[in-house]
């Protein structure tokens, strides 16, 4: 719907606050975020910023949602180029989009997937939707692949203690995959985050791998095999 001048001005100010906040993430880290510092760079008195952002935790939440949305947009854009029916290829495109975004925005990636910020707890009602966008896209790929007969899964026993949780996830996501597929999907997601985090946070060291892109390709191939994707067409 058309916006009034006041609405446009408010939206622009919110965009500026988020942009400055992300710059401060890069310079100082999440734990050192300060609304006073944001106000200074915005060129206003601190009380003016409080009309838009209640406190530091509110600013962190804005940055978390913005980061998840940007990552989700990157994955969606990558998947828009994926051939229909090439489920392994779709998985690889999404996984590469995750890594590319993380390497381009390491400070925001650290806010989303790194160490918790002391004293901050992300509010579920604001962050769960954006935070599960990529997972939902990936499980959607596995769901369609399974029902198209494109997952060559070997039989695997899933502990009975996981069944209730997996059923809850199935209902929340509206998918029909069996426990074995969903449990492996959770494992693959955790492994993907681990692989990307190891690179973003320098856990391999500076002289271990000359080509971390080739390493990630190898890791993804192993993960795609583990979930049962057939070869790309």
């Amino acid at each position: 719907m058309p916006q009034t001048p006041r609405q446009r001005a408010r939206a622009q100010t919110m965009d500026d606050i988020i942009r400055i906040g992300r710059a401060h993430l890069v310079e100082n880290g999440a734990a050192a975020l300060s609304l006073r510092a944001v106000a200074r760079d915005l060129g206003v008195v601190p009380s003016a910023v409080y009309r838009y952002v209640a406190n530091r935790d509110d600013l962190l939440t804005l940055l978390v949602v913005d980061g998840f949305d940007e990552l989700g947009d990157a994955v969606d854009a990558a998947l828009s180029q994926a051939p229909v029916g090439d489920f392994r290829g779709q998985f690889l495109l999404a996984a590469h989009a995750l890594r590319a975004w993380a390497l381009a925005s390491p400070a925001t990636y650290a806010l989303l997937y790194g160490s918790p910020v002391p004293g901050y707890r992300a509010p579920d009602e604001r962050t769960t939707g954006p935070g599960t966008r990529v997972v939902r896209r990936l499980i959607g790929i596995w769901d369609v692949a399974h029902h198209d007969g494109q997952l060559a899964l070997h039989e695997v026993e899933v502990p009975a203690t996981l069944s209730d949780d997996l059923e809850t996830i199935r209902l929340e996501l509206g998918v029909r995959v069996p426990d074995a597929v969903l449990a492996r999907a959770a494992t693959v997601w955790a492994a993907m985050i681990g692989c990307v985090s190891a690179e973003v946070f320098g856990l391999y060291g500076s002289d271990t791998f000359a080509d971390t892109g080739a390493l990630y390709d190898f890791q993804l191939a192993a993960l795609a095999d583990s979930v049962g994707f057939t070869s790309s067409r």
Side-chain angles (χ1 to χ4, degrees), residues 135-216:
V135 174
R136 288 172 182 269
R137 289 304 306 268
L138 289 171
I139 293 179
I141 293 170
W142 288 314
D143 186 38
V144 178
H146 171 72
H147 289 282
D148 279 8
Q150 299 299 317
L151 286 183
L153 268 179
H154 301 294
E155 289 296 324
V156 59
E157 183 176 350
V158 177
T161 52
L162 296 179
S163 294
D164 288 345
D165 293 334
L166 294 172
E167 177 62 15
T168 298
I169 294 171
R170 253 193 304 272
L171 292 174
E172 288 179 352
L173 300 184
V175 296
R176 299 162 293 167
V177 292
D179 283 0
V181 175
L182 199 51
R184 287 197 179 189
T187 303
V188 168
W189 172 248
M192 284 171 57
I193 293 299
C195 292
V196 172
S197 294
E199 184 174 4
V200 171
F201 301 143
L203 302 183
Y204 294 129
S206 58
D207 301 320
T208 306
F209 293 105
D211 188 348
T212 51
L215 175 64
Y216 191 61

Side-chain angles (χ1 to χ4, degrees), residues 77-102:
L79 288 175
S80 70
Q81 307 300 316
V84 175
D86 180 5
F87 303 110
R88 186 186 182 98
Q90 292 170 18
F91 165 71
L92 295 177
L93 281 172
H96 278 293
L98 167 64
R99 174 178 179 264
W101 180 84

Side-chain angles (χ1 to χ4, degrees), residues 5-232:
R6 176 174 292 184
Q7 288 171 327
R8 287 194 296 270
R10 180 177 179 82
Q12 182 61 59
T13 300
M14 291 297 294
D15 288 344
D16 289 341
I17 289 172
I18 291 171
R19 173 180 54 79
I20 293 169
R22 287 187 64 163
H24 286 197
L25 278 181
V26 174
E27 295 171 6
N28 305 309
L33 276 180
S34 162
L35 283 181
R36 285 185 172 274
V38 170
R40 181 192 64 231
D41 288 359
L42 191 60
V44 300
V45 297
S47 59
V49 174
Y50 286 111
R51 294 203 297 265
Y52 299 89
V53 183
N55 48 44
R56 183 210 68 158
D57 284 5
D58 193 23
L59 175 59
L60 280 169
T61 298
L62 287 174
L63 297 179
V64 167
V65 171
D66 182 69
F68 277 133
D69 280 341
E70 189 175 87
L71 172 58
D73 290 345
V75 170
D76 286 348
L79 288 175
S80 70
Q81 307 300 316
V84 175
D86 180 5
F87 303 110
R88 186 186 182 98
Q90 292 170 18
F91 165 71
L92 295 177
L93 281 172
H96 278 293
L98 167 64
R99 174 178 179 264
W101 180 84
L103 292 176
S105 305
T108 302
Y109 178 86
L111 176 63
L112 304 185
Y113 297 111
S115 299
V117 179
Y120 171 71
R121 179 179 175 84
D124 292 343
E125 67 276 8
R126 294 176 63 184
T127 59
T128 297
T132 58
R133 276 181 63 182
V134 175
V135 174
R136 288 172 182 269
R137 289 304 306 268
L138 289 171
I139 293 179
I141 293 170
W142 288 314
D143 186 38
V144 178
H146 171 72
H147 289 282
D148 279 8
Q150 299 299 317
L151 286 183
L153 268 179
H154 301 294
E155 289 296 324
V156 59
E157 183 176 350
V158 177
T161 52
L162 296 179
S163 294
D164 288 345
D165 293 334
L166 294 172
E167 177 62 15
T168 298
I169 294 171
R170 253 193 304 272
L171 292 174
E172 288 179 352
L173 300 184
V175 296
R176 299 162 293 167
V177 292
D179 283 0
V181 175
L182 199 51
R184 287 197 179 189
T187 303
V188 168
W189 172 248
M192 284 171 57
I193 293 299
C195 292
V196 172
S197 294
E199 184 174 4
V200 171
F201 301 143
L203 302 183
Y204 294 129
S206 58
D207 301 320
T208 306
F209 293 105
D211 188 348
T212 51
L215 175 64
Y216 191 61
D217 287 339
F218 179 85
Q219 292 166 333
L220 290 182
L223 292 175
D225 290 343
S226 73
V227 84
F229 284 122
T230 55
S231 297
S232 297

